[in-house]
Amino acid sequence: MDADTSRALLSRAISRVAQRDHDALKYVYRHTSAKLFGVCLRILNDREEAEDVLQDVYLTVWNRADRFDQEKASPITWLVSIARNRSIDRLRKRGGRVIADVEEAEALADGAPLASTLLEDEDDRRRLEGCIDQLDPRHAGALRTAFFEGVTYDALAQALKVPLGTMKSWIRRSLISLRGCLEA
């Protein structure tokens, strides 16, 4: 899928968000959250604050999607400006100074895969979820938390009240089981 098609799909999704379509908001989030998080993080230089601001960004998108005009800006430019403004507002509240321009935000690498890649990988994702569901529920939960939420093994071990070595073993055995399931 080329950039024009991706832009058109994202524009349509934002239009559907304006009509209170939850699935459209999920689509917008999946296809833009990595880039917008990068914008927030670069401005705020604090992961937790950037996550909070990112939540505010999507709340703003939900409430103001009807204001998006694809004739005035591309969808990603509109979203980046919201992320930038929310981040600057947060930075000003804590007394910091702004160090990045919106032009720099546009140039940030977007770590998110293209929409076409996401569509192609949907079957793989379902297969992976099926394999994870076959794991012991505690191990599956730990694996999801570690890899999908970025929580450290140490933090997981403390949260589940197990030794760190046990947590590492759970994750390692789970990964081996997943590899076997996915290769079958």
Side-chain angles (χ1 to χ4, degrees), residues 115-148:
S116 60
T117 304
L118 289 171
L119 291 173
E120 292 168 3
D121 291 344
E122 184 64 22
D123 286 336
D124 290 340
R125 185 196 62 77
R126 275 194 289 258
R127 207 164 142 228
L128 176 62
E129 283 295 324
C131 289
I132 291 173
D133 289 342
Q134 293 176 18
L135 298 172
D136 175 279
R138 287 183 74 185
H139 299 180
L143 185 75
R144 282 188 175 104
T145 304
F147 288 96
F148 299 144

Side-chain angles (χ1 to χ4, degrees), residues 2 16 26 29 35 56 73 80 96 103 113 128 132-133 169 184:
D2 63 14
R16 289 187 359 247
K26 288 178 189 175
Y29 180 85
K35 183 174 188 84
D56 291 342
V80 164
E103 291 80 19
L128 176 62
I132 291 173
D133 289 342
S169 295

Side-chain angles (χ1 to χ4, degrees), residues 39 42-43 84 88 97-105:
V39 170
R42 181 171 177 140
I43 292 170
R84 179 179 181 272
I88 290 170
R97 65 181 187 89
V98 179
I99 56 172
D101 291 330
V102 73
E103 291 80 19
E104 291 179 46

Side-chain angles (χ1 to χ4, degrees), residues 7-8 11-12 15 68-75:
R7 189 175 9 254
S11 292
R12 279 197 295 271
S15 295
F68 170 65
D69 183 352
Q70 63 185 357
E71 301 299 320
K72 291 182 180 178
S74 74

